[in-house]
Amino acid sequence: MEFEKLYMFNPFTIQNASSEKISETYINLQKALIENPETGFDISKNIELYANMNYLIGEMIARIQEEYDLLKTDISITENKQIYMQRKHWQETIDLKPPAMSYFEALAKEHVKEDCKKLAELGARLFRFKRAYESTIEKMNALKKKLEVIRYEL
């Protein structure tokens, strides 16, 4: 039977698929959903489709999380380097006592401002994918309950 596999995708190779291919596959799975499933088989088929859709959403969450973490690390490293460089530049060029570290931290923050905006955008994308993942799980649970009701009616 074609719907007996737990997942359509291999977790060892899914990372090789492009995000566009994952999106395309997700759309195809959406199209395969039965709009108003009435029979146990149709409900089971939709549950499996949702499970596979969630697998793809999970892959996208992993990709966005990795991108988010790497950017966050890069921002931190760049910011720390900037603090050091700004303070060193102050000490080399100005004979006065350096201001508080918060001054140099503010200068460094200004230097990474655009990357911080990108990080916020990634965080928002990550949030949306996580909510989609949770919503799909809730939909699957609702279908499982409906399937139980059908079983007990027979």
Side-chain angles (χ1 to χ4, degrees):
M1 188 175 237
E2 81 176 273
F3 289 101
E4 289 183 5
K5 294 185 283 184
L6 178 57
Y7 292 112
M8 295 171 51
F9 312 102
N10 182 337
F12 298 103
T13 60
I14 189 74
Q15 74 269 11
N16 298 330
S18 69
S19 295
E20 293 77 21
K21 182 67 176 166
I22 289 174
S23 174
E24 180 184 311
T25 304
Y26 184 89
I27 290 168
N28 289 336
L29 289 171
Q30 267 185 321
K31 289 177 184 176
L33 288 169
I34 299 165
E35 194 167 325
N36 293 310
E38 296 298 327
T39 67
F41 178 78
D42 288 345
I43 293 170
S44 296
K45 183 177 176 182
N46 274 3
I47 291 170
E48 182 176 350
L49 289 168
Y50 281 120
N52 282 300
M53 290 164 68
N54 242 16
Y55 186 83
L56 296 176
I57 292 170
E59 174 60 26
M60 292 307 297
I61 289 171
R63 290 174 186 211
I64 296 168
Q65 185 69 58
E66 178 182 30
E67 191 177 347
Y68 180 91
D69 291 345
L70 290 173
L71 182 57
K72 187 174 180 179
T73 300
D74 287 346
I75 289 170
S76 178
I77 290 168
T78 302
E79 192 173 359
N80 288 335
K81 283 181 181 178
Q82 273 299 316
I83 291 169
Y84 171 78
M85 288 172 29
Q86 293 289 342
R87 189 166 165 83
K88 183 178 178 191
H89 177 68
W90 178 281
Q91 290 172 339
E92 289 174 351
T93 59
I94 301 174
D95 287 335
L96 300 173
K97 179 182 172 191
M101 282 303 289
S102 58
Y103 171 79
F104 299 107
E105 290 167 357
L107 291 175
K109 273 284 187 215
E110 185 64 34
H111 187 76
V112 295
K113 184 168 68 172
E114 289 304 312
D115 283 342
C116 287
K117 288 179 184 177
K118 289 178 192 172
L119 187 67
E121 290 169 6
L122 279 174
R125 280 184 64 209
L126 187 59
F127 181 83
R128 284 191 294 275
F129 272 95
K130 286 181 176 180
R131 293 298 90 52
Y133 187 89
E134 291 168 2
S135 294
T136 306
I137 288 174
E138 292 302 321
K139 179 65 175 178
M140 287 168 42
N141 287 337
L143 288 173
K144 289 174 187 176
K145 291 290 185 190
K146 187 175 182 179
L147 190 58
E148 281 181 36
V149 169
I150 289 175
R151 283 184 191 150
Y152 289 120
E153 287 178 351
L154 295 177

